[in-house]
Amino acid sequence: MKILSLLLHDERFSNWTIEEKISRHHFSLQYLRFCTQKNWETTLYTFHQDAEAKQTRLLSCGGKIKIFPVRFRFPPFQRFGNDHNPAETMQEMLQDEPDLVHFHNYYLYSYPYTASFVKKKLRKPLVVQLHGYYNSLARKGFYLPCLLSLKKADRILYSYAPEERTYAKLGVAQKAVKIPVPGIDTDLFKRQRRTDSTRLLYVGRIPKPLAHGEKSPFLLLPLLRSLLRVRKNVVLDVVGDGPGLHYCRDLADRLRLSNSIAFHGYVPHGDLPKYYQASALTLSPIQVYDIDGWFDGAIQESLACGAPVAAFKASAGMSLNGTYGHLLSNNMEKAAVEVATLLETPENMEQVAQEGSRFVHQNCDSTTVADELQATWESALRA
């Protein structure tokens, strides 16, 4: 099988260089490795803001990446997802002649016309995948062409359960396949007996302030300031880099949090388990309806290590307790009280985390995800 994956956005939001884009851990590259392990020919198309012409890179796993320049951006004033180069990517698709196209993130403005090209001109099966989490109804209105174009897809991969309502309204629920995203290496992220800890943890990119829809440790700083009023010995570890790192450091200084926060910068993926295993609670600053283990790499990795997880509520009336984690108030004063309460009863957090760890090890292992991807792609080819 000859698989073509499309990740048609640049790296303005992450600040990654071209070399970082092809070497740092990302599940689009993980999918390339899945394919090569099964002896399938696989190529990934993507964009980078510094590319002036197409670049082709071969990975050690045998996969191939083609990096295209961005020729224009629309709609304007967007930090992410409005990158376009249809002429060159479409011409390349015709030359590469894939058996199947896998489009990463249908909330990209390039998706509608790419979907039409794949089905009408290339005449190949199209599998599309959801990246991301909660989108309000108003925000989904901006992506209406993308959502309507889901009807062109042969299969829709998703991990965030509330998206099922969108599929039902569009009449495409029968095409939807729930699959863990991204899936993790459970030989690396192992359960370990928990130790007493007062360390909180954030793992992920650090975007610029007010980056809509992205995880942002900026939200955690006012929470930490409020929490320190009742828990003096708490420390927040921030693991990751990005264009907002220096802004985040400056804000921590202004809030007089420098002695209670540690910025570790970029940490290689293989070194992350020790941070999860040493934490009392991993904080994922995104709004969600539940922590169910199906999505988000940091959540899956933390649970796999047996470390408790908390995110923020997508709706004010939700309970503090999710399936495998905890859902905090979006009011940082209230959230600080909730975190303090959780830290006072670590045995309760541990029990929930251990249940989540069993779920992740059974359902989100990379080998399991690879097998589910294979089954989905093969069913799309047969259809």
Side-chain angles (χ1 to χ4, degrees), residues 93-376:
M93 281 187 248
L94 290 172
Q95 294 175 4
D96 283 347
E97 297 182 324
D99 296 314
L100 178 143
V101 176
H102 183 108
F103 193 101
H104 286 283
N105 194 357
Y106 55 73
Y107 283 109
L108 294 178
Y109 289 104
S110 58
Y111 171 62
Y113 63 77
T114 303
S116 293
F117 175 82
V118 171
K119 297 308 297 179
K120 294 181 179 180
K121 187 71 173 179
L122 205 59
R123 296 184 179 180
K124 298 297 181 181
L126 174 64
V127 176
V128 301
Q129 186 160 13
L130 170 68
H131 291 205
Y133 324 106
Y134 171 66
N135 270 316
S136 66
L137 184 61
R139 186 160 180 82
K140 282 187 175 182
F142 289 106
Y143 295 102
L144 186 59
C146 301
L147 294 174
L148 293 176
S149 294
L150 289 176
K151 296 181 179 181
K152 296 182 172 67
D154 296 280
R155 296 290 184 274
I156 304 167
L157 302 182
Y158 73 103
S159 58
Y160 189 54
E163 199 78 355
E164 293 167 356
R165 294 193 292 269
T166 300
Y167 303 148
K169 291 177 182 178
L170 293 170
V172 297
Q174 74 281 2
K175 301 179 181 180
V177 180
K178 194 173 185 182
I179 184 171
V181 173
I184 62 167
D185 181 354
T186 54
D187 290 329
L188 175 62
F189 295 93
K190 297 179 180 180
R191 285 192 294 268
Q192 180 171 300
R193 184 176 179 181
R194 307 290 300 135
T195 58
D196 290 338
S197 174
T198 58
R199 304 191 78 89
L200 306 177
L201 177 64
Y202 168 78
V203 177
R205 264 191 314 272
I206 305 177
K208 290 182 179 180
L210 304 178
H212 183 88
E214 287 197 67
K215 291 191 291 185
S216 174
F218 289 93
L219 299 175
L220 303 180
L221 300 191
L223 186 158
L224 178 62
R225 183 175 62 171
S226 297
L227 181 60
L228 287 168
R229 295 174 187 147
V230 293
R231 301 277 303 207
K232 301 295 184 184
N233 60 344
V234 171
V235 175
L236 173 63
D237 290 301
V238 177
V239 176
D241 61 5
L245 177 56
H246 70 280
Y247 297 104
C248 203
R249 288 182 187 273
D250 289 346
L251 180 58
D253 289 340
R254 292 200 301 271
L255 295 177
R256 299 180 180 179
L257 297 174
S258 299
N259 293 330
S260 300
I261 186 167
F263 291 95
H264 299 276
Y266 170 72
V267 172
H269 195 245
D271 294 337
L272 291 178
K274 65 183 180 182
Y275 291 94
Y276 292 116
Q277 292 160 357
S279 71
L281 180 66
T282 299
L283 296 170
S284 188
I286 50 174
Q287 290 183 332
V288 295
Y289 281 97
D290 194 11
I291 295 174
D292 58 7
W294 280 90
F295 64 94
D296 188 76
I299 289 176
Q300 290 176 350
E301 290 166 359
S302 184
L303 290 175
C305 292
V309 178
F312 291 87
K313 298 176 182 179
S315 175
M318 297 170 61
S319 168
L320 174 64
N321 298 315
T323 302
Y324 299 128
H326 308 280
L327 300 171
L328 305 175
S329 170
N330 288 285
N331 178 297
M332 293 303 112
E333 293 281 349
K334 292 181 180 179
V337 172
E338 292 165 345
V339 171
T341 301
L342 291 171
L343 293 176
E344 289 170 3
T345 56
E347 64 279 0
N348 293 338
M349 288 198 298
E350 297 295 333
Q351 181 179 353
V352 174
Q354 289 301 319
E355 293 172 358
S357 185
R358 284 191 289 271
F359 174 86
V360 169
H361 278 262
Q362 292 170 4
N363 297 278
C364 304
D365 178 74
S366 297
T367 301
T368 301
V369 173
D371 290 342
E372 292 182 9
L373 273 174
Q374 178 180 1
T376 301

Side-chain angles (χ1 to χ4, degrees), residues 45 47 51-55 66-72 84-96 117:
Y45 292 5
F47 294 149
E52 297 181 358
K54 183 190 75 175
Q55 300 183 24
K66 295 186 178 182
I67 304 168
F68 293 84
V70 176
R71 294 307 184 194
F72 65 94
H84 303 275
N85 186 348
E88 292 174 61
T89 54
M90 290 177 180
Q91 181 61 36
E92 199 76 13
M93 281 187 248
L94 290 172
Q95 294 175 4
D96 283 347
F117 175 82

